[in-house]
């Protein structure tokens, strides 16, 4: 059974940091790309970051460049999203998802598997 389980969300003040984790199981982790998306109330889902486990390629959305960093621990089948200098506009439910092509697709329909999401709330 394929599973993606996010953790690490919470409430933080503006300027603070959080690290999200996405633990994957049930598929060949090394062949995939793992992306992070977020969705705020009343807004469309937004691609935040992605890493190709296969070749190490990394992608960041314009709104998080320079503040967020994505990494993977292949031995643990886990991808991390380190979020620094958080802003109130970063408040959203964050989801991780797996792209079977290993290509870090920019559209959510390119991802086959999704986690349940973790809430990140940034207070001003």
């Amino acid at each position: 059974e394929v599973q993606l389980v996010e953790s690490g969300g919470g409430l933080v003040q503006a300027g603070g940091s959080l690290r999200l984790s996405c633990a994957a199981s049930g598929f060949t982790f090394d062949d995939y790309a793992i992306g992070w998306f977020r969705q705020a109330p009343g807004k469309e889902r937004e691609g935040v970051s992605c890493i190709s486990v296969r070749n190490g390629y990394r992608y960041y959305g314009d709104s998080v460049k320079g503040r967020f960093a994505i990494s993977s621990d292949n031995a643990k089948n886990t991808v991390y999203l380190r979020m620094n200098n958080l802003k109130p506009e970063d408040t959203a439910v964050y989801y991780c998802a797996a792209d079977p092509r290993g290509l870090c697709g920019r559209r959510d329909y390119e991802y086959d598997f999704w986690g349940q999401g973790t809430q990140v709330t940034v207070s001003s």
Side-chain angles (χ1 to χ4, degrees):
E1 179 188 5
V2 173
Q3 278 194 318
L4 294 171
V5 180
E6 302 97 335
S7 60
L11 173 64
V12 65
Q13 288 189 330
S17 298
L18 285 173
R19 189 181 77 161
L20 305 183
S21 299
C22 173
S25 61
F27 60 92
T28 306
F29 185 72
D30 292 359
D31 289 343
Y32 280 66
I34 304 296
W36 286 96
F37 291 77
R38 67 187 182 186
Q39 189 164 23
K43 294 188 176 181
E44 292 188 355
R45 189 154 50 187
E46 173 191 11
V48 174
S49 183
C50 180
I51 184 169
S52 172
V53 182
R54 180 188 302 168
N55 60 25
Y57 167 80
R58 289 166 170 82
Y59 161 81
Y60 297 98
D62 288 342
S63 60
V64 306
K65 281 180 183 175
R67 300 188 298 122
F68 289 12
I70 192 168
S71 62
S72 69
D73 184 335
N74 294 7
K76 295 182 178 179
N77 283 10
T78 299
V79 167
Y80 303 98
L81 185 68
R82 177 70 179 180
M83 306 186 296
N84 296 323
N85 189 23
L86 283 160
K87 304 175 181 181
E89 52 264 42
D90 294 318
T91 295
V93 178
Y94 284 70
Y95 301 89
C96 67
D99 177 351
R101 305 165 305 153
L103 297 178
C104 281
R106 298 293 188 264
R107 305 298 183 182
D108 55 8
Y109 58 74
E110 295 175 294
Y111 292 77
D112 282 1
F113 309 118
W114 290 79
Q116 81 288 350
T118 186
Q119 177 71 47
V120 171
T121 303
V122 185
S123 63
S124 57

